[in-house]
Amino acid sequence: MPCLPLLALLCASLLIVAHGQSSAVTPIPRKSVFHKDFHGKLFQEDGVWNYTTMLLREDLGLLMLGAREAIFALNISDVSERKSAVYWRVPEDKQRECTYKGKNADIECRNYIRTLHQINSTSMYVCGTNAFSPTCDYLTFADGQLKLGDVHEEGKGKCPFDPFQRYSSLMVGNDLYSATSINFLGSEPVVLRSSQTTLRTEFKSSWLNEPSFVYMDMVPESEHSTDGDDDKVYLFFSENAVEYDFFNKLMVSRVARVCKEDMGGQRTLQRKWTSFLKARLDCSVPEPSLPYIVQDVFLLSGDNWESGIFYAVFTPQSDSSDLSAVCAYSVSAIRDVFSMGKYKTPVSVETSHIKWVMFSGDVPSPRPGACINDAARSQGMTRSLDLPDKTLQFIRDRPLMDDAVRPLTGAPLLLKRGAAFTRIVVDNVAALDGQMHPVMFIGTESGFVQKAVNYDGEMHIIEEVQPFETPQAIKILRLSLSTGHLYAGTESGAVQMPLSDCGRYASCQDCVLARDPYCAWSLTAALCSTLPRSPDTAPHGSLLQSLKEGDASSCPQSAPVTASAVYVAPGNNIRLDCQVDSNLAQVNWHFNGQPLQTTAPKHFLYNQGLLIFNSSASDMGDYTCQAIEHVGAHEYPQVLASYQLLPPQATTPPTGQGDQSDQDQEVSFTEPPVSQITAPKKKPAGGSGELSPDQPLPNAQVRKITGLQVAVAVLTVTLVAVIGFALFFSRQRLRSRLQKARRTTKNGTAYQPASQDKTDNPRTDQNCNDSVNTVTFSRKGTSNGPAVAIASIGEESEI
Ligand SMILES: *[C@@H]1O[C@H](CO)[C@@H](O)[C@H](O)[C@H]1NC(C)=O
Ligand SMILES: *[C@@H]1O[C@H](CO)[C@@H](O)[C@H](O)[C@H]1NC(C)=O
Ligand SMILES: *[C@@H]1O[C@H](CO)[C@@H](O)[C@H](O)[C@H]1NC(C)=O
Ligand SMILES: *[C@@H]1O[C@H](CO)[C@@H](O)[C@H](O)[C@H]1NC(C)=O
């Protein structure tokens, strides 16, 4: 049986993978920037949804945005500024017709703008689903106004019927390449070139088998070609595999390509591609799994086309895992598979059953699927129409390559647990060392944008940013180098965000340990500054950056943190703030020079500091909060805050300002997060009382104890004891639960129930962040120093 070796191979590879690391450890974003601290621009319009098509018109200073029944021209430097809009609604009769065919009037029978391409300096081409009746038109922008041409061309094959179906399209010159379904049912996939000679794929499952199209781009391979080769259009998609049969339906990721000058065949493959070749795209993750599925791709162009690299995001095809991956493929590696690799061929086994195996017979010449090149020309074939039937018949029946395309470094560049990756763009950034570093911006299902790099195999997530207020999947990402901004679209809006925000790094250590290629610490300005795009113009001498090593040892010593005096009456609760810059730092508290033994219900350690309940004489003394960040073999300790707890002064000022200070210090405390000392601390970025470690802490206020306050204190003490106990017990419970959870993961089962993963897996940092984010301190008054407070506990905490 010829299928056995294949099956064995696949099982073997699964086993090899299974014996490796069974549950991949994935990086935690160093910083989390939540929506409230996000300083970007948002565009949305009432009653308009599905902002998922974009076209950058840097030449006009515009971002063209396609949504449901509307196209907007926005200021590319400030997308909240709308320059013009056109509405393209579905005529009533069309909508009625659509509902007669069984589609939902308000959802499917609308016009979703799906295709938006530039034709020339004044004209654009736009297509919409138009109530399951795809239609295209010309769009112009003149005198500050958008205008639709009212041409209403047939859009079949250029734009999907079904707004929920994935598709891809590309404009090359005046030719529109599109990959979508060409019929109402969505069952007839096609890769189409609409041009003078319209070409399409053969309707055969060996060509396209229930595909989901993801991305297309052109590579100018004719440039400096030594063999007179043609430019090529690459297409990425997933489809049902024909080459494996151990599963009913097994999806695989594919890359396919066609030649730009293809004109189809004369007799065989008339008006069909003679150059359609496809190969499996490999992206193996370090845990046993079915093949991962490509979701989006970005072509990072190099100095020449050969150094181009496709970056692709992958997610699992079953929901047994919450791991996402980025794999990169060099254009030349893909090209080699197509131009030199072996083909697969179908063979019949056991009468009706078809197996795909490697073709080992004689391959006709010219090579099937090759573009017309000098070799073909020397044989008198100048167009694909001249190709011999033998070559064409071969390719018609065998469009699949035997070899898979392997990722650049053999492994994913990034792996992450948590919300699934949806979209990717990549910027090649020149760093201070003169090297180029590809920075990946990855959108997720939960609406975060991850900014990540891979330094010689080490995965590092510089930050995660939440540009939208509510969790929503990022459906489109675009990068503009001329504005230095990223544009993200979702069903409910579009945002613009800077590629870097170096000002967010407050200290030299924070700036250098961020390992962000866009940023360097300026010793002269004592600021984390943005590097110019061309590093040659930068005054190197005074800038510090250490990307691969994360070496912050050259940073100037930051000024020692002065201890703040805190006067505490016995029985009071005290909150000592300590804000950490990095999710990767560990926090340690010291008491009188010794590591603080945090004991419940006395102490409570959380992401913003330390709580001490029912203080007594034995709690008086010096407290310091230290963050330690490890990078490689180095560790960088940094004292963030220091307090001196003192008994109340005998000369307590009388009441009077009592009210004021009371307000400053009142803290209402809801849902305390349970954190362990050893857990990396999450910082809800820019939360109240952000401490810059370089600044001396403002002096703590002296607590004033009035008669009334004493009475209140006595009452609170009682309350606190009760809550303290509740806290203690629930914490114990949670801790043992956590330990149990950890033990299970250690025992080698990589699989966790998907539903749990998405909601309360303590190891997915996204979720950690979410839970951290729910901790709210509402503090009356305006004090934002390291306030010392009686915790007048507002609500009873429930864990
Ligand atoms: C359009 O947006 C709405 C609102 O978020 C969503 O429910 C719907 O699924 C979207 N439609 C498509 C075709 O994506
Ligand atoms: C776009 O916005 C920027 C910044 O707000 C502004 O300077 C510029 O003039 C605007 N461009 C246009 C074309 O209005
Ligand atoms: C741009 O393309 C449109 C549509 O093909 C055409 O009508 C128009 O003349 C072109 N304009 C220029 C300036 O080339
Ligand atoms: C507070 O601590 C003191 C001793 O320091 C103890 O006597 C008292 O019972 C404690 N109060 C509560 C409510 O736990």
Side-chain angles (χ1 to χ4, degrees):
M1 280 226 330
C3 62
L4 265 179
L6 248 170
L7 232 161
L9 213 136
L10 206 84
C11 291
S13 66
L14 282 183
L15 277 177
I16 291 165
V17 167
H19 274 267
Q21 244 174 322
S22 66
S23 65
V25 177
T26 69
I28 294 171
R30 183 173 181 274
K31 256 192 208 307
S32 301
V33 181
F34 294 99
H35 177 72
K36 63 184 165 55
D37 302 301
F38 171 72
H39 308 296
K41 305 283 187 188
L42 169 74
F43 175 80
Q44 57 194 165
E45 190 172 283
D46 281 350
V48 179
W49 297 94
N50 316 97
Y51 301 83
T52 54
T53 308
M54 283 182 185
L55 172 65
L56 293 171
R57 291 298 305 266
E58 285 155 326
D59 53 334
L60 303 177
L62 296 177
L63 173 72
M64 309 296 306
L65 179 63
R68 190 168 82 180
E69 312 202 317
I71 305 152
F72 302 98
L74 310 175
N75 182 340
I76 201 168
S77 310
D78 177 357
V79 298
S80 63
E81 184 192 339
R82 191 183 103 174
K83 292 295 195 185
S84 181
V86 283
Y87 298 90
W88 183 2
R89 301 200 171 87
V90 179
E92 235 172 74
D93 54 330
K94 264 256 145 62
Q95 192 170 27
R96 215 173 309 124
E97 206 181 298
C98 172
T99 49
Y100 289 159
K101 290 179 187 162
K103 301 294 174 188
N104 182 303
D106 257 350
I107 298 170
E108 292 160 304
C109 299
R110 300 288 211 105
N111 189 19
Y112 294 84
I113 304 303
R114 282 293 180 260
T115 304
L116 207 43
H117 293 292
Q118 183 172 351
I119 297 176
N120 55 35
S121 58
T122 53
S123 259
M124 288 165 276
Y125 198 63
V126 54
C127 305
T129 59
N130 202 27
F132 266 78
S133 160
T135 307
C136 299
D137 209 332
Y138 293 87
L139 181 74
T140 54
F141 183 81
D143 306 322
Q145 292 300 314
L146 275 180
K147 241 202 200 115
L148 267 180
D150 288 324
V151 181
H152 295 308
E153 290 185 351
E154 172 65 65
K156 240 164 106 174
K158 299 176 182 174
C159 174
F161 285 68
D162 183 343
F164 290 99
Q165 214 171 45
R166 292 290 301 266
Y167 69 98
S168 182
S169 65
L170 176 73
M171 192 66 98
V172 181
N174 282 322
D175 297 348
L176 179 71
Y177 291 77
S178 50
T180 183
S181 274
I182 201 162
N183 64 343
F184 180 86
L185 292 176
S187 56
E188 192 176 337
V190 70
V191 179
L192 188 74
R193 186 186 67 202
S194 310
S195 57
Q196 285 192 320
T197 36
T198 293
L199 284 193
R200 51 170 294 175
T201 38
E202 186 88 71
F203 183 44
K204 280 174 104 174
S205 64
S206 56
W207 283 49
L208 295 167
N209 193 7
E210 296 180 39
S212 177
F213 299 110
V214 157
Y215 179 83
M216 265 188 186
D217 216 333
M218 201 269 286
V219 177
E221 295 183 29
S222 65
E223 275 175 24
H224 313 294
S225 173
T226 52
D227 57 356
D229 204 354
D230 191 5
D231 295 342
K232 304 196 179 75
V233 171
Y234 286 87
L235 166 69
F236 292 80
F237 62 105
S238 57
E239 65 171 351
N240 286 332
V242 289
E243 65 264 45
Y244 306 120
D245 66 353
F246 73 71
F247 262 86
N248 199 9
K249 267 190 185 181
L250 180 72
M251 280 207 290
V252 287
S253 302
R254 300 271 195 221
V255 54
R257 67 104 166 106
V258 292
C259 304
K260 206 178 95 184
E261 299 301 327
D262 198 341
M263 298 170 80
Q266 191 69 261
R267 284 182 302 273
T268 311
L269 291 178
Q270 235 180 60
R271 299 190 154 268
K272 306 273 165 67
W273 297 105
T274 65
S275 57
F276 181 85
L277 287 176
K278 63 179 184 179
R280 187 162 58 85
L281 207 53
D282 212 47
C283 182
S284 305
V285 302
E287 65 178 32
S289 67
L290 300 176
Y292 267 47
I293 299 306
V294 62
Q295 297 298 341
D296 192 32
V297 180
F298 182 84
L299 172 60
L300 183 65
S301 309
D303 297 334
N304 49 50
W305 64 262
E306 279 166 305
S307 53
I309 293 171
F310 288 107
Y311 285 79
V313 292
F314 289 82
T315 57
Q317 68 179 287
S318 61
D319 47 10
S320 56
S321 170
D322 66 346
L323 194 62
S324 295
V326 177
C327 279
Y329 307 88
S330 73
V331 168
S332 47
I334 299 177
R335 172 193 151 93
D336 287 351
V337 166
F338 289 130
S339 63
M340 300 190 292
K342 295 239 185 314
Y343 300 84
K344 272 199 197 301
T345 189
V347 292
S348 311
V349 284
E350 294 161 6
T351 60
S352 65
H353 192 66
I354 303 285
K355 272 304 298 181
W356 285 76
V357 298
M358 190 179 88
F359 178 80
S360 50
D362 287 337
V363 174
S365 165
R367 184 179 159 91
C371 304
I372 299 294
N373 56 15
D374 289 344
R377 285 184 200 103
S378 69
Q379 291 175 259
M381 293 169 241
T382 56
R383 305 168 306 168
S384 62
L385 293 164
D386 304 330
L387 288 170
D389 275 344
K390 232 175 144 188
T391 292
L392 296 180
Q393 279 157 5
F394 186 99
I395 199 64
R396 183 191 60 200
D397 299 331
R398 300 174 190 86
L400 178 61
M401 306 308 297
D402 188 53
D403 297 326
V405 176
R406 314 237 171 260
L408 203 54
T409 51
L413 291 181
L414 181 69
L415 290 166
K416 190 173 182 303
R417 292 201 180 278
F421 290 171
T422 55
R423 296 292 184 271
I424 185 169
V425 294
V426 184
D427 186 16
N428 219 6
V429 185
L432 213 51
D433 58 10
Q435 283 196 39
M436 301 302 286
H437 295 280
V439 179
M440 303 174 263
F441 295 89
I442 302 154
T444 70
E445 202 64 50
S446 64
F448 276 82
V449 175
Q450 310 280 341
K451 178 179 179 181
V453 284
N454 187 298
Y455 292 128
D456 297 336
E458 184 200 353
M459 303 171 191
H460 176 61
I461 302 179
I462 298 164
E463 62 182 10
E464 58 177 2
V465 180
Q466 185 188 31
F468 294 95
E469 195 168 353
T470 53
Q472 49 193 298
I474 307 272
K475 288 289 173 75
I476 186 165
L477 270 186
R478 288 285 182 268
L479 175 75
S480 165
L481 297 184
S482 74
T483 64
H485 278 98
L486 201 63
Y487 302 87
T490 69
E491 304 297 9
S492 76
V495 293
Q496 164 195 356
M497 56 190 274
L499 297 176
S500 65
D501 188 357
C502 302
R504 210 137 48 209
Y505 307 119
S507 64
C508 176
Q509 187 167 310
D510 192 22
C511 181
V512 174
L513 295 187
R515 302 164 76 194
D516 184 333
Y518 293 96
C519 305
W521 182 260
S522 161
L523 292 167
T524 44
L527 267 180
C528 196
S529 54
T530 308
L531 287 177
R533 276 208 87 83
S534 157
D536 307 331
T537 57
H540 283 201
S542 63
L543 292 172
L544 276 184
Q545 190 186 54
S546 174
L547 300 179
K548 290 186 180 167
E549 300 78 25
D551 181 357
S553 54
S554 316
C555 276
Q557 287 274 316
S558 49
V561 173
T562 38
S564 315
V566 180
Y567 298 93
V568 196
N572 275 340
N573 308 313
I574 307 144
R575 186 181 110 189
L576 302 178
D577 280 358
C578 181
Q579 291 266 353
V580 189
D581 290 328
S582 162
N583 294 332
L584 304 181
Q586 286 185 3
V587 175
N588 298 320
W589 281 87
H590 281 79
F591 176 51
N592 289 335
Q594 298 294 316
L596 177 72
Q597 303 298 322
T598 46
T599 47
K602 175 106 223 139
H603 298 108
F604 182 67
L605 201 65
Y606 71 114
N607 59 23
Q608 285 179 307
L610 173 72
L611 295 174
I612 304 171
F613 293 104
N614 185 19
S615 67
S616 62
S618 62
D619 294 325
M620 299 301 120
D622 297 328
Y623 289 80
T624 51
C625 170
Q626 187 188 47
I628 302 182
E629 192 160 351
H630 295 263
V631 184
H634 296 272
E635 56 177 50
Y636 297 97
Q638 191 179 19
V639 173
L640 296 180
S642 174
Y643 300 94
Q644 191 179 19
L645 258 56
L646 301 166
Q649 279 177 315
T651 55
T652 308
T655 46
Q657 311 137 308
D659 268 3
Q660 162 71 37
S661 72
D662 231 24
Q663 284 201 341
D664 280 355
Q665 292 155 359
E666 196 172 331
V667 168
S668 84
F669 185 12
T670 54
E671 282 196 49
V674 177
S675 41
Q676 285 168 285
I677 306 177
T678 51
K681 292 299 167 280
K682 307 282 177 183
K683 170 192 175 187
S688 64
E690 203 167 41
L691 291 189
S692 159
D694 283 349
Q695 289 167 353
L697 296 161
N699 280 332
Q701 282 147 337
V702 176
R703 283 222 37 76
K704 291 158 231 93
I705 311 293
T706 65
L708 187 69
Q709 278 175 312
V710 170
V712 169
V714 170
L715 278 173
T716 25
V717 161
T718 328
L719 194 67
V720 157
V722 174
I723 288 161
F725 263 92
L727 262 179
F728 173 71
F729 279 115
S730 46
R731 204 180 143 189
Q732 287 298 98
R733 235 183 326 157
L734 204 111
R735 191 182 278 177
S736 72
R737 232 185 281 158
L738 277 179
Q739 273 160 1
K740 213 186 282 169
R742 256 184 223 138
R743 244 175 279 134
T744 1
T745 36
K746 264 203 200 107
N747 285 347
T749 40
Y751 291 97
Q752 284 159 347
S755 62
Q756 193 194 343
D757 277 356
K758 299 226 163 68
T759 53
D760 58 7
N761 181 352
R763 300 194 312 139
T764 53
D765 42 279
Q766 200 93 72
N767 296 327
C768 277
N769 288 334
D770 287 350
S771 69
V772 162
N773 206 17
T774 60
V775 179
T776 48
F777 275 81
S778 63
R779 194 194 305 196
K780 290 191 226 151
T782 52
S783 148
N784 59 14
V788 180
I790 284 196
S792 80
I793 294 179
E795 287 164 50
E796 187 162 340
S797 55
E798 15 135 327
I799 298 181

